[in-house]
Amino acid sequence: MQAEDDDHRRTTADMESELRRLDQDLAQAEEEERIGQQLVLQAESDWNASRLARQRAEDRLDSLRREIRQDFGLADMEEAVGLAYQPPLPLHALVAQLPVVHDLPAGLRDDVRETRARVRRLSNVNPEAPQEYEEVANRYNFLQNQSDDLENAARDLLCIVSELDSRMESDLRRTFDAVSKEFVGFFRLLLQGGTAQLTVTDPADILNTGVEIHARLPGKRTQNLELLSGGERSLTACALVFSILRVSPTPFCVLDEVDATLDEANVDRLRTAMDLLRERTQFIVITHNRRTLETANSIYGITMGDDGISRAIGLRLEQDTSLTVIEEMVEPLTAVAI
């Protein structure tokens, strides 16, 4: 057993020694690989730098060739001693034959310098410039015509607006004066005398001005509309509406319970005012007042039966309809056409 253990120990020691040697070889190989990769990267960097330098050299060579063509043109030069020479290309039909110049004429250098300056200013000539100029000029002319048309249209619109403002101002002043005159008459009719006046808040700007009502009731001083009672304001508003209808009548006029705050005498005067206008305007009055219904020729209303269902009721009155029939219809009806 001792001998076998010794053999195992020797074998283990040999294997561990071999393992350490292999680890060292692996580390050395990895180091050599890293160095090789660095060399490859350096070589690639040098190659890229060389290619870039070559490209720059070719660009510079092309630039020099263009400068030579711009300075000297395409010419066939004779071979001379001490000068680098390259055999000409087979372009005899395009190459000009220039004589050998030994002495430069006086002032030639200045002419060459000036010519080179002109050539540099004329560099990058666009051969399509005439066509592009024509297209841009046509576009400019089109836009200019459109702009001129818009400016003319704007001037025409301003003239029309100015003319409309002038006509509106004239018509508004004329209508306001006519309504003011009619308003005084209807005010005296509805309120049994007194006087009233319509005024504008801004006479200089009649198109945007407001309107104020100054009323003087019989036996009272002049007051604003806000200081009047509910019935007085209602009659004043009706006087204004009736004056507008007298000046500019409309086919229909709807009055919503304007007689709710009026007594019988005022209701009678309201009926008289509507009678003056009913030939040219049909009045649709929403009312619960019996005296207002007396002057109607048609009555319409909504009533509710015992079953809780609303029904529309209409009644067209003849000239000989008795007041008794009208009073029987007052309770369920809320609208009347005069």
Side-chain angles (χ1 to χ4, degrees):
M1 290 293 297
Q2 184 67 31
E4 291 180 359
D5 291 340
D6 293 338
D7 291 338
H8 287 311
R9 290 191 185 96
R10 286 192 297 272
T11 303
T12 302
D14 294 339
M15 293 178 66
E16 290 179 350
S17 176
E18 181 66 19
L19 180 61
R20 286 193 296 271
R21 186 184 63 80
L22 292 175
D23 290 339
Q24 291 177 358
D25 293 342
L26 178 60
Q28 183 177 0
E30 290 177 350
E31 180 65 19
E32 290 177 354
E33 181 182 6
R34 184 181 63 80
I35 295 173
Q37 290 178 353
Q38 292 179 353
L39 293 176
V40 170
L41 293 175
Q42 183 65 33
E44 290 179 351
S45 177
D46 295 341
W47 181 77
N48 291 330
S50 300
R51 187 175 62 175
L52 180 61
R54 177 175 175 274
Q55 185 63 37
R56 290 177 178 175
E58 290 179 353
D59 294 341
R60 177 59 180 168
L61 182 59
D62 293 338
S63 177
L64 292 175
R65 287 172 179 170
R66 288 194 297 270
E67 292 179 0
I68 291 173
R69 284 196 297 269
Q70 291 176 359
D71 292 342
F72 299 101
L74 188 60
D76 185 11
M77 300 182 182
E78 294 183 0
E79 182 178 3
V81 180
L83 295 177
Y85 178 74
Q86 181 178 1
L89 298 175
L91 302 174
H92 301 289
L94 302 176
V95 176
Q97 300 295 329
L98 302 179
V100 179
V101 178
H102 299 284
D103 296 327
L104 295 178
L108 181 60
R109 294 183 181 276
D110 296 336
D111 295 340
V112 170
R113 189 179 297 107
E114 182 180 358
T115 302
R116 287 180 176 177
R118 292 180 178 178
V119 170
R120 282 193 295 271
R121 288 195 295 268
L122 293 175
S123 61
N124 299 326
V125 176
N126 183 11
E128 303 295 333
Q131 182 179 357
E132 293 179 0
Y133 171 79
E134 183 178 359
E135 294 177 355
V136 173
N138 293 333
R139 180 63 177 172
Y140 171 79
N141 293 330
F142 173 76
L143 294 178
Q144 186 65 39
N145 293 332
Q146 295 293 321
S147 177
D148 294 340
D149 293 340
L150 290 176
E151 291 179 357
N152 294 332
R155 285 193 295 268
D156 294 340
L157 288 176
L158 290 176
C159 292
I160 294 174
V161 170
S162 178
E163 183 179 356
L164 288 177
D165 288 342
S166 178
R167 291 185 178 181
M168 289 170 59
E169 182 176 357
S170 177
D171 293 344
L172 184 57
R173 289 184 184 277
R174 184 174 60 254
T175 303
F176 180 79
D177 293 338
V179 171
S180 299
K181 183 178 178 181
E182 296 292 338
F183 176 69
V184 174
F186 278 105
F187 183 86
R188 291 176 178 175
L189 172 63
L190 293 175
L191 289 125
Q192 286 186 318
T195 183
Q197 182 181 7
L198 294 178
T199 60
V200 294
T201 58
D202 187 5
D205 189 6
I206 192 67
L207 297 179
N208 299 306
T209 186
V211 178
E212 292 183 349
I213 299 176
H214 299 277
R216 185 177 65 82
L217 301 177
K220 298 182 181 180
R221 59 184 178 86
T222 303
Q223 301 178 14
N224 289 330
L225 187 62
E226 292 80 2
L227 301 178
L228 301 179
S229 64
E232 293 169 346
R233 279 185 292 181
S234 178
L235 291 176
T236 303
C238 289
L240 179 59
V241 173
F242 293 159
S243 61
I244 295 174
L245 293 176
R246 174 63 66 85
V247 175
S248 180
T250 59
F252 300 96
C253 177
V254 180
L255 301 178
D256 187 4
E257 296 191 9
V258 296
D259 55 357
T261 59
L262 304 180
D263 56 15
E264 293 184 356
N266 289 327
V267 172
D268 291 338
R269 289 192 293 272
L270 181 64
R271 290 170 49 185
T272 302
M274 287 190 290
D275 288 337
L276 297 176
L277 302 171
R278 65 190 303 174
E279 293 182 358
R280 303 178 63 182
T281 300
Q282 181 179 7
F283 288 93
I284 302 174
V285 182
I286 300 174
T287 181
H288 294 278
N289 193 294
R290 291 179 173 85
R291 300 190 67 84
T292 303
L293 293 175
E294 290 178 1
T295 189
N297 53 21
S298 297
I299 301 176
Y300 303 93
I302 303 297
T303 184
M304 181 179 294
D306 296 336
D307 55 359
I309 300 175
S310 298
R311 295 182 178 87
I313 296 177
L315 178 62
R316 181 175 296 277
L317 305 178
E318 302 297 338
Q319 296 296 330
D320 57 349
T321 302
S322 63
L323 182 59
T324 303
V325 176
I326 298 177
E327 290 178 351
E328 291 176 355
M329 300 298 298
V330 167
E331 293 299 332
L333 299 182
T334 59
V336 56
I338 298 177

